């Protein structure tokens, strides 16, 4: 599975970025080929999905058994590779951190992305939850049925939300950071929870820009603890990988995966796969995430050969916030875009 975090790793926009050479990737699916001496719960030939502390974008992956889960019989390998990061992140933020209950409201950014779609599906399992989503305008037709109210990511969504819900929302899930932090806090109801789980606004162009990085953090409104106390607001952060690989919460994650697999088996949730890419196409695949072109998850398929297919002709917005114009006759960046219809 490809995640926005992989772009942040590539640009060094994370704490303690790994040294190169490096094989990226944090999740995968496949068939068990070999077992450690003390592994009892799996057998060779099992279909599994797994979290990996890097090295997932490979033909053979090794990871501790506690991070491995059996794939339901009717789940495909591509769905399984799209499942762990997005759904565990969405579930834990909604239910473990924010305590989502009937009748609440949620604001989620990048509603068309993998986590955004997982959030929307999980919210639909609870009665009367209102979901406000922001997304690039060209995605609206495809995802309009998954959220209650959908806004353009470049519009003044704060005023739009307040027009519909003057009191604000109960939960804000922010993967953008920057100026959106202050906006999210301003929209919280009393006893509401704001969760920062990413900072995609720090990802710039192909090269790392310290000034863009600094500008993004400079736009973060400084949080005043006294103000939080007076306004009865909760501010939280969530990092699934730290929970797994640094804070030893593998048992908790397994219990969440069990609940999610049960929801999948009961047809309450289903991973949204945007497209499949050959390993050789990883550059183009990462560019598609960078340009916010995806609806759901991008998957690297080790058995897939590169295919020259055409992309949509839509004008897309890059992470840097600049319109990327679609020039007539310019097919160079339209090649090798294998979409799933």
């Amino acid at each position: 599975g490809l995640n926005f975090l992989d772009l942040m790793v590539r640009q060094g926009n994370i704490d303690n970025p790994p040294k190169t050479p490096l094989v990226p990737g944090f999740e995968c699916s496949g068939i068990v080929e070999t077992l450690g001496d003390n592994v009892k719960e799996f057998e060779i030939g099992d279909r599994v999905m797994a979290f990996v502390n890097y090295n997932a974008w490979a033909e053979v992956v090794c990871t501790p058994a506690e991070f491995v889960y059996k794939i339901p019989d009717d789940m495909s390998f591509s769905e399984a590779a799209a499942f762990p990061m997005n759904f565990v992140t969405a579930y834990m933020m909604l239910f473990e951190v924010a305590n989502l209950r009937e009748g609440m409201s949620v604001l989620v950014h990048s509603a068309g992305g993998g986590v955004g779609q997982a959030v929307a599906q999980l919210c639909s399992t609870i009665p009367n939850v209102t979901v406000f989503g922001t997304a690039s305008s060209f995605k609206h037709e495809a995802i309009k049925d998954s959220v209650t109210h959908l806004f353009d990511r470049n519009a003044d969504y704060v005023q739009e939300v307040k027009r519909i819900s003057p009191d604000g929302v109960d939960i804000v899930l922010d993967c953008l950071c920057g100026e959106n932090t202050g906006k999210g806090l301003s929209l919280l109801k009393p006893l509401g929870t704001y969760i920062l789980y990413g900072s995609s606004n720090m990802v710039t162009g192909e090269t790392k820009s310290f000034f863009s990085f600094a500008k993004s953090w400079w736009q973060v409104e400084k949080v005043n603890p006294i103000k939080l106390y007076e306004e009865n607001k909760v501010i939280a952060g969530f990092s699934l990988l730290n929970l797994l690989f640094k804070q030893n919460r593998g048992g908790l994650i397994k219990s969440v995966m069990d609940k999610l697999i049960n929801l999948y088996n009961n047809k309450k949730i289903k991973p949204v796969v945007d497209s499949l890419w050959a390993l050789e196409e990883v550059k183009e695949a990462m560019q598609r995430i960078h340009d916010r072109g995806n609806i759901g998850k991008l998957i690297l398929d080790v058995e897939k050969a590169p295919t020259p297919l055409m992309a949509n002709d839509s004008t897309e917005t890059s992470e840097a916030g600049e319109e990327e114009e679609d020039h007539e006759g310019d097919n160079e960046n339209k090649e090798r875009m294998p979409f799933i219809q």
Side-chain angles (χ1 to χ4, degrees):
L2 276 79
N3 296 284
F4 207 94
L5 180 61
D6 297 311
L7 273 71
M8 298 180 67
V9 168
R10 191 183 75 188
Q11 293 197 351
N13 291 344
I14 61 169
D15 190 30
N16 297 318
K19 292 182 173 60
T20 54
L22 170 77
V23 177
F26 298 103
E27 63 184 335
C28 62
S29 65
I31 297 170
V32 175
E33 289 194 1
T34 311
L35 300 170
D37 292 340
N38 299 318
V39 177
K40 308 293 184 205
E41 61 269 38
F42 297 100
E43 296 179 0
I44 292 172
D46 281 350
R47 301 168 71 247
V48 296
M49 50 189 161
F51 290 108
V52 193
N53 195 12
Y54 295 105
N55 300 306
W57 297 356
E59 292 169 326
V60 179
V61 172
C62 182
T63 194
E66 69 170 316
F67 304 136
V68 182
Y69 318 93
K70 289 182 180 176
I71 299 175
D73 290 342
D74 57 348
M75 183 185 281
S76 68
F77 282 116
S78 58
E79 284 182 327
F83 194 78
M85 284 279 287
N86 291 347
F87 276 96
V88 172
T89 296
Y91 186 97
M92 295 200 72
M93 290 193 300
L94 289 172
F95 298 107
E96 299 282 339
V97 181
N99 194 19
L100 178 67
R101 299 184 301 283
E102 181 175 350
M104 281 188 165
S105 54
V106 179
L107 169 65
V108 59
H109 294 297
S110 300
V115 174
Q117 287 292 286
V119 165
Q121 289 186 29
L122 288 169
C123 285
S124 71
T125 67
I126 306 296
N128 302 320
V129 171
T130 302
V131 181
F132 298 92
T134 70
S136 300
S137 56
F138 67 88
K139 297 184 183 182
H140 285 202
E141 185 62 31
I143 66 172
K144 64 182 181 182
D145 294 334
S146 65
V147 299
T148 321
H149 304 286
L150 189 56
F151 312 119
D152 187 275
R153 65 181 291 260
N154 296 312
D156 185 0
Y157 61 85
V158 173
Q159 293 308 313
E160 291 292 317
V161 171
K162 285 185 174 177
R163 182 177 58 80
I164 297 165
S165 177
D167 292 339
V169 298
D170 296 293
I171 300 167
V172 174
L173 305 178
D174 181 10
C175 60
L176 303 178
C177 196
E179 61 183 9
N180 293 280
T181 303
K183 291 178 179 178
L185 282 169
S186 74
L187 280 172
L188 273 188
K189 292 180 182 178
L191 301 182
T193 303
Y194 163 93
I195 305 175
L196 179 68
Y197 71 99
S199 44
S200 64
N201 279 340
M202 291 187 195
V203 170
T204 58
E206 272 305 301
T207 56
K208 180 180 173 183
S209 165
F210 172 78
F211 295 104
S212 295
F213 185 86
K215 179 187 172 190
S216 186
W217 271 118
W218 188 254
Q219 291 172 322
V220 176
E221 183 178 289
K222 303 301 181 284
V223 177
N224 182 338
I226 300 299
K227 195 175 177 184
L228 288 178
Y229 152 77
E230 290 175 344
E231 296 181 358
N232 281 301
K233 292 181 178 180
V234 177
I235 185 166
F238 183 78
S239 165
L240 175 56
L241 295 178
N242 283 347
L243 210 58
L244 275 168
F245 301 121
K246 292 183 179 178
Q247 296 157 350
N248 302 315
R249 294 298 190 274
L252 172 61
I253 306 300
K254 185 180 187 315
S255 70
V256 169
M257 279 293 285
D258 289 343
K259 293 171 185 172
L260 288 167
I261 288 170
N262 189 47
L263 285 170
Y264 176 87
N265 287 333
N266 289 318
K267 297 186 166 39
K268 303 279 190 184
I269 59 174
K270 184 178 176 65
V272 178
V273 177
D274 175 82
S275 45
L276 302 179
W277 303 76
L279 285 174
E280 294 89 341
E281 297 171 316
V282 66
K283 178 186 172 185
E284 292 87 344
M286 293 186 88
Q287 189 65 46
R288 181 161 169 78
I289 297 180
H290 183 283
D291 294 341
R292 297 182 189 270
N294 58 303
I295 296 172
K297 193 63 163 272
L298 279 78
I299 301 296
L300 289 179
D301 185 346
V302 297
E303 296 181 344
K304 188 179 183 304
T307 350
L309 294 178
M310 299 297 285
N312 289 340
D313 285 339
S314 58
T315 299
E316 299 176 357
T317 306
S318 75
E319 285 296 342
E322 299 162 352
E323 277 304 273
E324 298 195 344
E325 293 179 9
D326 197 7
H327 300 291
E328 266 189 280
D330 176 14
N331 291 324
E332 187 175 279
N333 61 353
K334 294 182 187 175
E335 293 178 354
R336 294 168 62 177
M337 287 286 199
F339 295 110
I340 291 177
Q341 298 300 324

